[in-house]
Structure formats: C-alpha cells, structure tokens
C-alpha cells in the first residue's frame, strides 16, 4: 500500500507557490512595515473587491473576526445571540467571550446549516444578532436569514470561516450579512502560513469601529476612546494571502470537481452525499466533503483510518452537548437533527491537489466496507435530499 492519504495536504500547494511567496516576503522585508503596512491595505482592498463588499478589515484570526463583529454591535452581558448548535466551537465561543448568551437552533437535515424556520421562536427582546455558519463550505439560506434579521431589526453575522469563495444567488457569502467573518487558518480554503482573519461589512462606520477596537480602542495613537484589544493581520500573512488569492477560484473549482467525482462513485451506495443546496442557487466550495453514513459510521471511520485513508468526524458533539455549555440547560434530544448528524457525518479527504485516482480509491474502500456492514443499504435514495424529518419536542 502507498502512503496514507491525509484529510488535507498543504505541501504540494505550498511548493507550487513557493517562488511567488519568497518574492512577496522580500517585498515585505524591503518595506519593513510588518503590522498594518501596505501589504495589509492592498490585501484588504483586493479581498473587499473579490467579496463585492465595500469594506474589509484584516484581523488576527477568524474567532477574533466574530468577537470584533459582536463588539462593534455592542453585544455584551444581558444580550442573546442566536447560532447553530452544529459547528466548530468558535461559532458560539465568540458570543460567550463578549459576555452574551448563545441561544442554539437546530439544523436543516439536508444542508446541515441553521434551520431558518426555527429562529423566530427563539427571538426575545434581548436578541441582538443571528450568526449563520456556512458549514463545510455550504451557504446557509441567506435570503431567508436576511428577511428574518430585517423583520426583527437584529444583525446578521455570517461565519464564513469554511466558505471563502462560496456564493448564494451569484453573490459571495459574507456580502449578505451586516458582517462577514473569515478565517485564514492554514487549513481553510484560503489559508495563510499562520493565523489570520477578515471582517467584511457594508457599513463604513462599523468597519472603522472594528479597526479601533482591534487596535487598542484608539483612533488617534495613545488616545483610547473605548476598551480595545490587539487583533491585527500582519504583513507577512497578507503577502501570502495575496499570492494565494489568485488561485482561490481555480482551487475551489477543483474541490467541486472532486466532490462531483465522489458523488458519482458513491451513487446508489446508500451513503448520503453533499451537493449544492436547492436555494440561492448556492455554490458549495467543499471545505469538507462530508457524507452521512446512516449505520456503522464509527466502524467505517476506523476501517478507513486503518487502511490508508484519513477520515474525520466534524463534529462528534453538537455545541449544546459540550460540557462548557451545560449551564445553558440544553440536554440531549433538544436538537434532534444536530444529534442525528453528529452520529452519521464523516469527512473524506478533499483538497485541490488530491488526484482522481485517490478519490476513486477512497470511494471504493468506503463502499466496500459499507456494503459489508450494511448489506442492501444501497437500494435507498442517495440524492442527499432525505425526507425532512419533523423535529420532535
Ligand atoms: C475555523 C473556524 C473558525 C475560527 O477561525 P480561527 O481563525 O481558527 O480562529 C470559526 N468558525 C468556523 C466555523 C471555523 O471553521
């Protein structure tokens, strides 16, 4: 057997851009403006243009992007913010970090993004915002979310950490919300050589406010109007990101091709595959290719990992079941769709440099094991459009 296929391999991609990055680093060293220098300004402008959003502010990381958006809205103790229970912890952590209370909502069983139909019942006079997560690169239903936010006069924040380049109705995600919050953690679709993040916004005054909060609450140096912090994108990361930006569309397109190949290979296997959501129309960028395996998921995950394929469960525990959120009092069966998903999801390797033959090999191993453990399962529909199950209780 050849080497184990990792869930993500950045080595080849990094080799391909090495010469361009070194040239960019030389430029940064010549400028010697390492924080908020011209590279950062140029990257902010290029990113804003790419996003179709008037303002973009570089920040320290994706979690800070979310925290800074909430702080710009003056969300704090006594406030509530609605978010999905099925995401990476940062989608709720940011709310707790500003002293507000996360209010969880269940997911749509097909797209695994926040179910807009369950948001309005959670809105109270304390609700200040909704955070929608474009999970695995799949846009949440932004038109419906925007209508709900406008109707109740609350803010819409998009957690775009996994979805740089994804579109909804032909427009980039991050341009629908009051804020779009991006992460450039190395594993994301657009990743730096370290931590980095960006906030996009339609509102000029909000962009300014985020700049001061992220720079110790000062507009004029050593004059502090409000309590701030230190969260800035540095010039070396901006230089790397400017190089990578040029390839992002092609890389995302290759991710979509890989997804299509997996879908063809897994058709009629009984394994549920992701695809573009019916709304929008949406354009998924497959940060992850996450299938749902209705039975024996854990055994299949172990089998793949023991046989040359890294497969990972994103995420094994919904946020409402995390010990850190036990004080909120949401127990098991509070969010049935998320709890069902956490028992069935499995993410397979996907990155632009993955070869077609790797995809075929992974698919074969997966199908064979599933057939063996769940004979006959392949007769069911595999369209990814499961019957929506009514959330009970
Ligand atoms: C990665 C991620 C974040 C946080 O980004 P960092 O840059 O690692 O702080 C936030 N939300 C989601 C959904 C993520 O996947």
């Amino acid at each position: 057997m050849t080497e184990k296929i990792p869930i993500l391999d950045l080595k080849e991609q990094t080799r391909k851009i090495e010469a361009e990055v070194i040239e960019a680093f030389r430029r940064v060293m010549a400028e010697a403006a390492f924080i908020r220098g011209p590279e950062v300004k140029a990257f902010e402008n290029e990113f804003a243009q790419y996003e179709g959003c008037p303002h973009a502010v570089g920040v320290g990381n994706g979690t800070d992007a979310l925290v800074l958006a909430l702080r710009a809205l003056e969300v704090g103790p006594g406030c509530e913010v609605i978010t999905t229970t099925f995401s990476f912890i940062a989608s709720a952590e940011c709310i707790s970090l500003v002293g507000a209370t996360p209010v969880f909502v269940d997911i749509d069983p097909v797209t695994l993004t926040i179910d807009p139909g369950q948001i309005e019942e959670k809105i109270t006079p304390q609700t200040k915002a909704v955070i929608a997560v474009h999970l695995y690169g799949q846009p949440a239903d932004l038109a419906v979310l925007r209508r709900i936010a406008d109707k109740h006069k609350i803010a819409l924040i998009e957690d775009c950490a996994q979805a740089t380049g994804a579109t909804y109705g032909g427009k980039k995600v991050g341009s629908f919300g009051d804020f779009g919050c991006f992460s450039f953690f190395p594993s994301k679709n657009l990743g730096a050589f370290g931590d980095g993040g960006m906030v996009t916004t339609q509102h000029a005054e909000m962009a300014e406010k985020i700049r001061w909060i992220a720079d110790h609450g000062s507009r004029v140096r050593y004059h502090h109007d409000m309590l701030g912090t230190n969260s800035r994108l540095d010039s070396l990361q901006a230089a790397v990101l400017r190089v990578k930006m040029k390839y992002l569309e092609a890389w995302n397109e290759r991710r979509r091709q890989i997804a299509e190949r997996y879908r063809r290979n897994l058709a009629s296997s009984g394994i549920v595959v992701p695809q573009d959501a019916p709304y929008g129309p949406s354009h998924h960028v497959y940060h992850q290719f996450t299938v749902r395996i209705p039975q024996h998921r854990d055994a299949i995950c172990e089998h793949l990992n023991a046989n040359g394929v890294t497969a990972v469960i994103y995420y094994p525990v919904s946020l409402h079941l995390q010990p850190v959120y036990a004080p909120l009092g949401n127990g098991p069966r509070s969010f049935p769709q998320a709890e069902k998903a956490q028992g069935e999801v499995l993410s397979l390797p996907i990155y632009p440099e993955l070869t077609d033959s790797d995809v075929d090999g992974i698919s074969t191993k997966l199908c064979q094991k599933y057939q063996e453990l769940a004979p006959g399962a392949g007769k069911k529909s595999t369209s990814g459009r499961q019957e929506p199950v009514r959330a009970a209780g």
Side-chain angles (χ1 to χ4, degrees), residues 60-64 66 87-88 90-91 133 135 159 161-162 182-185 188 195-197 287 315:
N61 56 65
T63 307
D64 280 0
L66 291 161
S87 184
F88 179 59
S91 309
V133 182
L135 194 72
D159 180 341
Q162 301 185 1
F182 294 82
S183 166
F184 305 126
F185 184 80
K188 310 290 177 165
D195 279 308
H287 173 61
Y315 296 94

